[in-house]
Structures are given as C-alpha cells and as structure tokens.
Amino acid sequence: MTLTPPPPAVGAAPPPGDRHAATEAVRICRELLRIDTTNPGDGTGPGERAAAEYVAAELAEAGIEPLVVESAPRRASVLARLTGTDPLRAPLLVHGHLDTVPFDAADWSRHPLSGELHDGCLWGRGAVDMKGAVAATVALVRSWARTGRRPRRDIVLAFLADEESTGDHGARFVATRHREHFADCAEAIGESGGFSVPVHPQRGSGRTGGPGGAEVRLYPVALGERGTAWMRLGATGTAGHGSRGSADNAVSTLVHALSRLAAHSWPTRLIPPVEALLGELERILGTTIDRNRLEAEAVRLGRAGELFAATVRNSANPTVLQAGHKVNVVPGAARAQVDGRFLPGTREEYLATVEELLGPAVTREFINLEEAVTGDHSGPAFAAMAAALRAEDPAGHPVPYLMAGGTDAKTFGRLGIDCYGFAPLRLDPALHYQRMFHGVDERVPVAGLDFGVRVLDRFLGAY
C-alpha cells in the first residue's frame, strides 16, 4: 500500500514530537507478551495465530494491508509491504518472529505471560526474543501512517511463526509458498543485533568514551551466523536383564560416542567478520587481543569477549538423552540429540569429523541442517545502521560480529538476500542481553524500546 501525504526530503531526520510511537511500542509489546506463543518444537504449543491476528489488526487499523498466512492449524505469519518514495531502490526486508521458547513459571519473579511493567521494564517470555522488536517495528510503521512519512525504499514486513524450531511453519513456508513477497528484496534486518553492551577501555589507553574513562557502549551488528546441525543419534544393542553382562549395551555405545564428541577440541578459525570485530575491540578498548589464546582473551574481556567466544570454533553439545524404562532392564536402543554449530566454510569438514567421532555403531539423522551465512561490513547497509545508532547514542560504538546461534536469516539468505542482525535496543548495564535470551525473568526496558523505535526510524526512513 502507499502512505500519503508526500514525505519530507530524502535523508531527512525523523520528525520530532511523534512520541506516540514509543508509547505504542510499549502497548503493543505488552499485549504480545500476554499472548502465549510458546513453541516446544513438537507441534504441541498454542501456535502463533492469536499473535498474528493481533499484529495484523494493528497494521490494518493504520491502513496497512496485512496478509495472514497459515502453514498448519494455528501456525500463522503476517506479511505486509510499505511503498517507498524511490522505486529504483531495492526493497528492504524487516523480519521478526512471533513464537517464543517455553518457560517454567515457577522459576520467574513475575509470570512470563503477564507483560507486567515493573522497574521500568516489561516482563515476559519474548520481551527481548523478540516481541519487543516486533512491537517497535509495528509501532514505527503505524507512526509513519499517522504522520504521512514514507521510507525511501519499499519496506517488506514479515512477522513469522516457528523461528524457535526449524522454521518449517514460518520462514521456510513463506519463502516457498509466498516467494513473490520477497522476490525483489536485496537486504534484510532481523534479530540479535544493535543491542548495547557495556565495556570499559583499558586504563591509560586514552579511549575513554566519556569523562574519566567512563563506561562506553558497543552495539554489535550481526553480519552472519554459524551453520546449524541439529542431530538425532541412535544406538542399538541386545536387550536383557541388568544383572547379566552385555557386550553390546546400546546405552554404553551411545554414551561413549557422546563422550568423544563432547571432549573433542575443535580448531580455532578466524573468519573475516570475527577478525573485523577483534580489530574494532582493540581500537575501542585500547588493548591487544592475542589470536593464539582467544578463549582466555574472551574471558579477560568480559562482555566484549562474549561477542566472539563462541564464534572462533565449531561446537557440538549433547542436549537430550533417552534410553530404558527400568533399572534392571538393559534397553535394546538408546537415543540422543546434539546441537551442532559450524563456522562458515567448514560444513563438510565438520560433518566428517562428527561422523568419525561417533563411529560406525551410532546412527545419525538431521533434525535441522542449515548452511552458515556471512557478509561484510564495508557496504552502505552497515554504514547506515551504524549512523542511525550513533545519531541516538553519540558515545556508542557499532561493531560487526558473527552470531553463535541461528535465526530465520538462513532461510532468507538462501533467496539471495543479504541479512543482518539489527533490532536496536539500549539496555541498562545491569541487564545482560544474551543471558535473557531463553532465560528466566526476561524483560525489556521501556526506555530501550523508545531507543529502538528512534533508531529504526532513522535507518528505515532514510536508507
């Protein structure tokens, strides 16, 4: 659809005074947090339909035509498009997900579905992952509709189901069944980037960032992410009585294989996005990072080190183990699941190493296998994101990084779209962004949502 009246001059700053967008972001986030969209990954959750209908209604009320698509009962996503002022510019995709990981309410200080406002934060499952970012985006485009602003290029919106599992009911579904919606997109922004990370420059470096060497803020922008290899492993043996010897015990066979996998020391690899991050950290922190001892350096650098600790090597973490039903019965089969991640360019080597470590007695099948994606930070997209962040936080330092985990960017990357992790959020130093992901007492600051709306406004409106 087309928003009217005509926009301000290309590249103009966001219109001052439309504070209603920040208020709406809080309202929308709160309502989304109250909708249960937990996704256990086995099809037993409530689905995303209610959240999709809520987002669609918010868009429609502002005059933006949404399309709600359902891949299976209750598994719904929302697609929409805003027309920009320059038809020669390739559209930009903004994608986010509506589902969340499950929770145990007994562990939380406040109920994960309450959306309670406490200590300046909205509490609930999905506050940072990623209903807060969805709310900021929806509030922003509603603000544009209200004020008559238009972006320079078309903005394609996708609020998706099933990101917390394989994406089969979300990104993969829309990329296949609604490919035309993304046909001309060249770039995309999604989750897990643009959040603030407090750091302290080395004493005497001269890189204070503030009075007396005060804390400065990094804003990592994801250029890519490690590949995903979720595996289901199996071993079989001879069932029998637990008191007798068992030469081919399925549990023993599988456990020994898992032990070899877990104990393996994966070699360190420095790929360009990580090397670029290390260079920026050296400049900003006034220190030297020893490439020969990166794990120790990551510990030394604290929160800054967490940005590269998991992306200098591959990994394989056993996460699920299933076997037997009684203590005195040797089971005939044992099963396990492993979360595998590999750096860009190492897929075949990684899978061959896993196969060797497991050995011939253990079977392997993939729950999810997705190639790693990576980009660079030398282009105009990263520069525009960095400029938008600096405009709202002049003391901030945007830096490139590689995500350790995975998002729907992998699906859109297969369509030839260059994907970035950029969902801007400024946090109080006491709030640890990465620990709140899938953690207890997840919450998002109201002031952080306001910051996110303003940064998105600058970037999406002018890029």
Side-chain angles (χ1 to χ4, degrees):
M1 49 99 37
T2 301
L3 302 179
T4 55
V10 170
D18 186 23
R19 307 304 302 157
H20 190 54
T23 302
E24 282 211 325
V26 173
R27 173 183 63 80
I28 294 168
C29 181
R30 195 169 196 176
E31 292 303 315
L32 285 173
L33 291 174
R34 291 170 173 168
I35 301 173
D36 186 359
T37 56
T38 51
N39 180 7
D42 58 4
T44 62
E48 302 85 358
R49 181 82 200 191
E53 290 178 345
Y54 173 77
V55 168
E58 290 291 315
L59 295 175
E61 193 273 336
I64 302 164
E65 297 180 11
L67 174 65
V68 177
V69 298
E70 196 170 63
S71 56
R74 308 185 316 278
R75 310 307 304 273
S77 301
V78 184
L79 306 176
R81 189 180 187 112
L82 310 177
T83 303
T85 61
D86 187 350
L88 298 181
R89 288 178 174 266
L92 176 75
L93 168 63
V94 181
H95 63 94
H97 62 89
L98 300 172
D99 62 326
T100 68
V101 295
F103 55 81
D104 185 345
D107 296 334
W108 287 57
S109 303
R110 283 160 181 79
H111 197 281
L113 297 178
S114 69
E116 182 178 341
L117 179 59
H118 179 75
D119 284 344
C121 295
L122 288 173
W123 295 58
R125 175 57 85 216
V128 297
D129 185 20
M130 62 172 302
K131 290 180 176 180
V134 169
T137 303
V138 173
L140 174 60
V141 298
R142 282 173 56 87
S143 170
W144 286 351
R146 182 171 55 253
T147 60
R149 287 193 74 218
R150 287 169 60 193
R152 294 182 72 182
R153 66 185 70 219
D154 287 8
I155 302 296
V156 173
L157 301 175
F159 303 112
L160 302 161
D162 203 32
E163 190 275 344
E164 297 292 1
S165 185
T166 61
D168 285 343
H169 292 294
R172 291 180 182 176
F173 175 80
V174 299
T176 302
R177 298 287 293 275
H178 299 275
R179 176 68 181 87
E180 72 284 353
H181 189 69
F182 313 99
D184 47 358
C185 293
E187 296 161 321
I189 60 170
E191 67 176 312
S192 296
F195 54 92
S196 61
V197 178
V199 297
H200 292 272
Q202 182 172 303
R203 289 184 180 276
S205 68
R207 295 164 173 82
T208 62
E215 174 185 275
V216 298
R217 288 169 296 280
L218 305 176
Y219 288 94
V221 175
L223 303 181
E225 51 196 53
R226 292 195 298 174
T228 301
W230 291 349
M231 295 169 278
R232 185 180 290 111
L233 309 181
T236 58
T238 302
H241 199 285
S243 65
R244 298 172 182 167
S246 178
D248 60 343
N249 186 310
V251 175
S252 299
T253 298
L254 185 58
V255 167
H256 287 313
L258 290 174
S259 179
R260 292 192 297 271
L261 191 62
H264 181 67
S265 179
W266 298 91
T268 297
R269 301 277 175 76
L270 267 181
I271 65 171
V274 180
E275 181 59 60
L277 169 64
L278 297 182
E280 285 295 291
L281 292 181
E282 289 179 322
R283 180 184 64 81
I284 295 165
L285 301 179
T287 188
T288 299
I289 299 173
D290 187 344
R291 272 50 167 188
N292 295 316
R293 51 190 303 273
L294 286 172
E295 289 182 334
E297 291 287 71
V299 173
R300 176 178 72 87
L301 294 174
R303 288 201 189 180
E306 291 175 6
L307 296 177
F308 66 83
T311 56
V312 295
R313 64 178 75 243
N314 299 330
S315 62
N317 287 315
T319 53
V320 177
L321 187 60
Q322 301 165 318
H325 60 276
K326 197 171 187 295
V327 67
N328 62 344
V329 178
V330 176
R335 302 285 182 266
Q337 294 180 27
V338 172
D339 184 333
R341 310 283 175 156
F342 54 90
L343 293 170
T346 69
R347 169 174 161 161
E348 297 310 316
E349 175 191 329
Y350 176 81
L351 296 179
T353 302
V354 168
E355 194 75 21
E356 181 181 355
L357 291 169
L358 293 178
V362 175
T363 62
R364 181 195 69 189
E365 62 178 328
F366 292 109
I367 301 170
N368 191 29
L369 179 61
E370 292 186 295
E371 186 57 84
V373 292
T374 187
D376 68 74
H377 65 295
S378 61
F382 183 90
M385 289 180 243
L389 286 165
R390 292 192 192 100
E392 294 298 333
D393 184 2
H397 296 271
V399 296
Y401 89 121
L402 184 80
M403 284 183 57
T407 73
D408 287 329
K410 288 186 174 69
T411 294
F412 295 118
R414 288 196 295 272
L415 300 182
I417 301 172
D418 293 331
C419 296
Y420 299 86
F422 186 68
L425 179 67
R426 180 167 171 176
L427 295 167
D428 183 280
L431 293 177
H432 195 297
Y433 178 87
Q434 291 168 322
R435 290 178 187 169
M436 286 193 293
F437 255 71
H438 299 188
V440 173
D441 288 344
E442 184 180 351
R443 57 201 185 274
V444 63
V446 168
L449 288 178
D450 183 7
F451 176 84
V453 170
R454 289 185 280 113
V455 173
L456 284 175
D457 196 358
R458 289 184 179 275
F459 172 64
L460 295 178
Y463 177 58

